[in-house]
Amino acid sequence: MLGRLRPLVASLPLAAVLSAALALPAQAAAGRSATAEHASGGTAAAASGPAAALRLSDRVVKDEAAITIGKGGTAHVRETIVYDFTSAGFDRVFTTRTHSSVTEDRVWKIGNLKASSPDGGPAKAAVSSSGTTTTVKLTGGAASGQHTVLLEYDVRGAVAQLKQAEEFHWTAVGGWKVPVGQARATVDAPAMVQNVNCFAGALDSTVGCTQYYTNHTHTQGLFSQSQMLPDDNLTVVVGLPAGATGGKALFERRHTAATAFSVNGVTASALGALLVLLVGGIVLLYMLRGRDARVVGKKAAEGDQAHVTGEHFEPPNGVRPGQVGTLIDEQADVIDVTATIVDLAVRGHLLIEEDDLAATGRLDWTLRRLQRPGGDADLLRYERILLGALFDGREAVKLSALGGTFATQLARVRAAMYDDVVEQGWFARRPDTVRSRWTIAGMALTGLGIIATVVLAVTTDLALVGLAVIVAGAALAYGGQYMPAKTARGSTVLAHTIGFRAFLERGVLPEADMPSQQRIALFSRFLPYAVVFDVVDRWARTVEDAGVRAEGADNLYWYEGPAEWDLSRFAESMRTFTLATSGSISQSRGM
């Protein structure tokens, strides 16, 4: 808006007359007060103390800023401040930063600041910046009274480029914590001023100031505001032709959560490295796990394991059930220990007796230690540890009695099973140790990434680097569960085991002339493997069918039921026993 002028209030002369008229009685009263004070020993002076303190409170009588815009958009400011103060020095606060977007701030740079006072006021200036403001602290000179201080400084970044013009924008007067009686600003431009605007109040105020206009040559903008409250501002805006100064607004990236996790050259490189790491991990897993699959497929195709027939009571290569379970999933699970207990019973090292539910009122089993003619020569190390943990010098033990006590021994049994698969040459290192090392490394890397992310997010824009480390650590910990790899020998045994599992899943033996007791013995021999392969229900029903056809077959040589029990109930009994055993041996004792 060119030449915009708000008419001044015409009542100013009248106000001056009224002020003069009121001043006379006040002076007379002051004279009387002084006489009274002399007569009463200072009582009147004490009574007028608060009013005197109120009159002496700090205020800015006048603040005038003469601004000259130069080439490059740098503005030179000469600010004349008339300050009435009661303490030594005062602060002049400039707003030098505003949020222009989520990630950027517009900034104004103040430089070449000088301070002086023609009448002995504070003239020693110290400049400091904090947040969105720059503070000039003025000290020295007179400790109180009304004085004039002259500030000179340069401002960069006040000119911004618009589409077809330039715009000068600066808070010429403001930041005072005290009232300002009169604020004025003049802006001298190097080209014809196209329009002016002025706002008073808060920084984001849209309320126009008292008056703003251009001179008759349109090369100067004039702005004024009367009676400003503490924290009020006088912001001036001057529109100039395009290319008038060549100045540009200054912007700085603001550090926020959005910028902390921004994508830049460093974070992009870190994410790229993470991608390479993940791809490399997949390749490594493929090489390790893929080799297992290739060896298994090759050996299975060669058919180097003879078909299991009724004459072969041993699974491929004489592998025990617990070994099979550990080999297949690389875990020494509780179900593998349960299968080993059933296997020890089938092999004559213990007897499983099912208690009479009707007599005892609870479902339970008794395990009895048996002495074989050949002794324990056929036992593997983990099987000896298991038997010792089950009986602990006793001849018999209730399955329910193992709950809460055996769990402490379970770790020793499982550790021995891991050692066994290494001794067999199926793994180069214990699978649980390999998993633990990778998991610990992944967790440590994840923890380091969390710490790095917090530190980088607070101090830099590189928080994505820490986040990439977290993802890499989590991927390392997760992928470590798949890192145990079988040797070629272990893969060959696994190939043989796969064929044996398929045979058990069918649940049907080849037709052959075989006495029923021998058929039951054969079914029993394979039952522990059915426990490992999770086909115990199907295989137990096969044993049950054989028992029904067998004359007088009301018990097995390794499993005895209560009175009135026969093999027709074996499938349900076996299913319940395996579940109860797994629960008992893994149950920890409560405090």
Side-chain angles (χ1 to χ4, degrees), residues 555-590:
N555 281 296
L556 298 173
Y557 66 91
W558 58 273
Y559 189 100
E560 291 185 359
E564 307 301 328
W565 183 93
D566 57 35
L567 288 182
S568 64
R569 303 178 185 178
F570 178 74
E572 179 61 24
S573 293
M574 198 67 237
R575 184 186 66 82
T576 308
F577 173 77
T578 55
L579 291 175
T581 302
S582 296
S584 294
I585 65 177
S586 60
Q587 178 185 358
S588 298
R589 182 181 295 277

Side-chain angles (χ1 to χ4, degrees), residues 226-301:
S226 300
Q227 304 304 322
M228 291 174 56
L229 298 175
D231 295 319
D232 275 359
N233 299 274
L234 175 64
T235 303
V236 300
V237 181
V238 177
L240 301 172
T245 67
K248 294 182 179 179
L250 303 178
F251 294 92
E252 290 183 358
R253 192 172 182 83
R254 184 168 72 257
H255 185 69
T256 63
T259 59
F261 290 90
S262 60
V263 178
N264 51 48
V266 177
T267 56
S269 300
L271 293 175
L274 172 62
L275 180 61
V276 172
L277 177 64
L278 293 178
V279 172
I282 293 174
V283 172
L284 180 61
L285 284 174
Y286 174 78
M287 292 175 63
L288 294 175
R289 310 297 296 187
R291 182 198 59 194
D292 290 350
R294 289 191 296 273
V295 173
V296 169
K298 179 181 178 182
K299 296 301 181 181

Side-chain angles (χ1 to χ4, degrees), residues 364-415:
D364 204 353
W365 289 262
T366 300
L367 306 181
R368 296 189 183 278
R369 181 71 185 268
L370 302 178
Q371 298 298 327
R372 292 184 56 186
D376 297 340
D378 66 327
L379 293 178
L380 298 175
R381 177 172 170 269
Y382 75 86
E383 293 174 329
R384 289 193 180 92
I385 294 176
L386 176 58
L387 280 174
L390 285 174
F391 294 99
D392 194 20
R394 298 167 294 190
E395 292 298 323
V397 61
K398 290 288 187 182
L399 184 63
S400 58
L402 297 177
T405 60
F406 186 83
T408 57
Q409 302 294 329
L410 182 61
R412 292 180 57 236
V413 177
R414 296 177 64 185

Side-chain angles (χ1 to χ4, degrees), residues 334-476:
V334 173
I335 193 64
D336 300 331
V337 179
T338 299
T340 301
I341 293 175
V342 175
D343 184 54
L344 290 172
V346 172
R347 288 158 53 197
H349 291 278
L350 60 90
L351 175 65
I352 303 173
E353 296 178 349
E354 182 178 338
D355 292 352
D356 191 343
L357 178 61
T360 61
R362 59 180 299 180
L363 189 62
D364 204 353
W365 289 262
T366 300
L367 306 181
R368 296 189 183 278
R369 181 71 185 268
L370 302 178
Q371 298 298 327
R372 292 184 56 186
D376 297 340
D378 66 327
L379 293 178
L380 298 175
R381 177 172 170 269
Y382 75 86
E383 293 174 329
R384 289 193 180 92
I385 294 176
L386 176 58
L387 280 174
L390 285 174
F391 294 99
D392 194 20
R394 298 167 294 190
E395 292 298 323
V397 61
K398 290 288 187 182
L399 184 63
S400 58
L402 297 177
T405 60
F406 186 83
T408 57
Q409 302 294 329
L410 182 61
R412 292 180 57 236
V413 177
R414 296 177 64 185
M417 295 176 75
Y418 283 124
D419 288 335
D420 180 77
V421 294
V422 175
E423 293 170 3
Q424 298 295 332
W426 300 340
F427 293 90
R429 287 174 293 276
R430 283 179 45 159
D432 61 327
T433 302
V434 173
R435 278 190 296 270
S436 296
R437 288 177 179 175
W438 283 93
T439 300
I440 292 173
M443 293 176 63
L445 188 61
T446 300
L448 179 63
I450 292 174
I451 296 173
T453 299
V454 173
V455 173
L456 292 174
V458 172
T459 59
T460 70
D461 293 346
L462 306 177
L464 276 181
V465 175
L467 190 60
V469 175
I470 293 176
V471 175
L476 190 64

Side-chain angles (χ1 to χ4, degrees), residues 433-578:
T433 302
V434 173
R435 278 190 296 270
S436 296
R437 288 177 179 175
W438 283 93
T439 300
I440 292 173
M443 293 176 63
L445 188 61
T446 300
L448 179 63
I450 292 174
I451 296 173
T453 299
V454 173
V455 173
L456 292 174
V458 172
T459 59
T460 70
D461 293 346
L462 306 177
L464 276 181
V465 175
L467 190 60
V469 175
I470 293 176
V471 175
L476 190 64
Y478 177 77
Q481 306 306 307
Y482 300 92
M483 293 310 291
K486 303 173 186 65
T487 62
R489 182 177 180 181
S491 298
T492 301
V493 175
L494 179 61
H496 300 166
T497 304
I498 289 175
F500 183 59
R501 180 174 62 184
F503 163 72
L504 292 181
E505 287 175 346
R506 289 193 297 270
V508 178
L509 279 176
E511 292 296 333
D513 265 343
M514 182 186 302
S516 295
Q517 292 297 338
Q518 187 176 350
R519 292 172 63 85
I520 292 174
L522 178 61
F523 291 147
S524 299
R525 186 66 191 90
F526 290 162
L527 182 60
Y529 300 93
V531 174
V532 171
F533 295 137
D534 196 24
V535 292
V536 64
D537 285 346
R538 184 180 306 174
W539 193 253
R541 283 195 297 270
T542 303
V543 178
E544 176 184 306
D545 294 341
V548 171
R549 295 195 298 267
E551 212 176 297
D554 58 349
N555 281 296
L556 298 173
Y557 66 91
W558 58 273
Y559 189 100
E560 291 185 359
E564 307 301 328
W565 183 93
D566 57 35
L567 288 182
S568 64
R569 303 178 185 178
F570 178 74
E572 179 61 24
S573 293
M574 198 67 237
R575 184 186 66 82
T576 308
F577 173 77
T578 55

Side-chain angles (χ1 to χ4, degrees), residues 164-209:
Q164 301 295 329
E166 292 184 352
E167 182 182 81
F168 175 80
H169 186 284
W170 176 238
T171 303
V173 178
W176 295 107
K177 297 299 180 182
V178 296
V180 178
Q182 184 65 44
R184 295 190 181 94
T186 60
V187 178
D188 289 292
M192 183 174 290
V193 175
Q194 293 184 337
N195 55 74
V196 294
N197 210 339
C198 177
F199 304 99
L203 285 176
D204 57 353
S205 173
T206 58
V207 178
C209 56

